[in-house]
Amino acid sequence: MPPLRLLPIALLLAALPARSQEYKSGINWPEPKVVTPGTHGGAPSDAIVLFDGKDLSAWKNGDKWIVADGVATAAKTGISTKESFGDCQLHIEWATPGKVEGKGQGRGNSGVYFMGRYELQVLDSFENPTYFDGQAGAIYKQFPPLVNASRKPGEWQAYDIIFTAPRFDSAGKLTSPAHITALHNGALIQNHAELKGGTFFDKPPSYAAHPPKGPIDLQYHGNPMRFRNIWVREIKPLVPAAK
Ligand code: MG
């Protein structure tokens, strides 16, 4: 019998469950690769840099745009990555013209197209009403952004986008739709949104089978949109090793 003053502790210890056994999944995961993070939107060490301020050589039609002072300005036509991507993480910084011209879809319009088909809208949506599923951060004509995190005209803004490519079987039938998760200036605007198909101006969304990888396009919509610091990381699933 312990002294009376120790009794509460003895009771407490007796009430504790027996030491538990740690659960282990048994899955033989490889060690996640070490990646040196970038700073303030900078590219992690395993990123493919699509524009670092010097030139648009990673893009088809890149020579049609104007590159000066570390910034690429849209002109003449859209541009398209020479390399193709499937599931990926994209960081892109953009600024709408500081001098406000036009309204609605005519003001600061561009767009990030994955696989040439699925557009996350780029638009000057700072006090510039338009249809909600066409404002900045919308999956065009499918989902408005969860919030409007737009900065003022002329200010630099950032998108961080996680794109999951759709899958098709050998007969061309959709087996898994595309998904987009996106942050606009650090605010979540799309949360694993399931795309209903390609994003079109003049018809409902629909899927048509395409290769597992495709280019990333930046739209030219008549506005001198500026871009900088564009990088992409391919998403490669960790595959457990055989036991
Ligand atoms: Mg657009």
Side-chain angles (χ1 to χ4, degrees), residues 109-111 119 121-122 219 221:
N109 196 332
S110 180
E119 182 188 13
Q121 174 72 301
V122 172
Q219 184 186 43
H221 200 281

Side-chain angles (χ1 to χ4, degrees), residues 221-243:
H221 200 281
N223 304 130
M225 295 290 292
R226 291 173 294 147
F227 294 88
R228 70 180 186 190
N229 191 21
I230 310 172
W231 49 262
V232 64
R233 296 179 63 248
E234 291 187 279
I235 300 173
K236 294 174 187 157
L238 282 182
V239 180
K243 287 178 191 165

Side-chain angles (χ1 to χ4, degrees), residues 35-225:
V35 165
T36 308
T39 52
H40 305 294
S45 57
D46 62 348
I48 297 163
V49 175
L50 296 173
F51 179 57
D52 64 359
K54 293 192 190 82
D55 63 65
L56 287 170
S57 57
W59 302 76
K60 287 178 199 158
N61 285 327
D63 57 334
K64 308 280 196 317
W65 285 24
I66 301 145
V67 177
D69 302 324
V71 172
T73 302
K76 293 181 184 165
T77 184
I79 62 174
S80 195
T81 56
K82 292 175 181 171
E83 204 168 327
S84 287
F85 304 96
D87 298 348
C88 62
Q89 170 191 354
L90 179 74
H91 176 90
I92 183 163
E93 296 174 20
W94 51 273
T96 64
K99 185 175 173 232
V100 172
E101 284 177 347
K103 60 177 185 172
Q105 295 288 307
R107 179 171 144 187
N109 196 332
S110 180
V112 180
Y113 282 79
F114 293 91
M115 314 190 97
R117 292 167 171 83
Y118 310 106
E119 182 188 13
L120 189 76
Q121 174 72 301
V122 172
L123 193 76
D124 182 352
S125 283
F126 186 86
E127 298 176 354
N128 177 35
T130 187
Y131 43 94
F132 299 139
D133 56 6
Q135 70 180 63
I139 296 169
Y140 190 68
K141 300 267 192 192
Q142 296 189 30
F143 299 103
L146 296 171
V147 293
N148 182 350
S150 297
R151 294 195 203 279
K152 292 177 181 169
E155 293 185 7
W156 283 102
Q157 315 201 39
Y159 277 164
D160 287 282
I161 309 165
I162 317 296
F163 175 75
T164 306
R167 267 65 170 173
F168 302 91
D169 66 16
S170 55
K173 188 172 168 289
L174 181 76
T175 56
S176 177
H179 289 85
I180 287 181
T181 294
L183 290 93
H184 183 190
N185 300 324
L188 185 72
I189 52 164
Q190 299 290 347
N191 185 14
H192 201 56
E194 180 182 313
L195 275 70
K196 298 167 186 160
T199 56
F200 307 109
F201 171 71
D202 56 354
K203 60 179 179 179
S206 63
Y207 279 105
H210 55 73
K213 292 188 176 188
I216 295 168
D217 300 347
L218 297 180
Q219 184 186 43
Y220 177 64
H221 200 281
N223 304 130
M225 295 290 292

Side-chain angles (χ1 to χ4, degrees), residues 25-45:
S25 72
I27 299 169
N28 190 14
W29 293 113
E31 183 181 355
K33 207 171 95 183
V34 173
V35 165
T36 308
T39 52
H40 305 294
S45 57

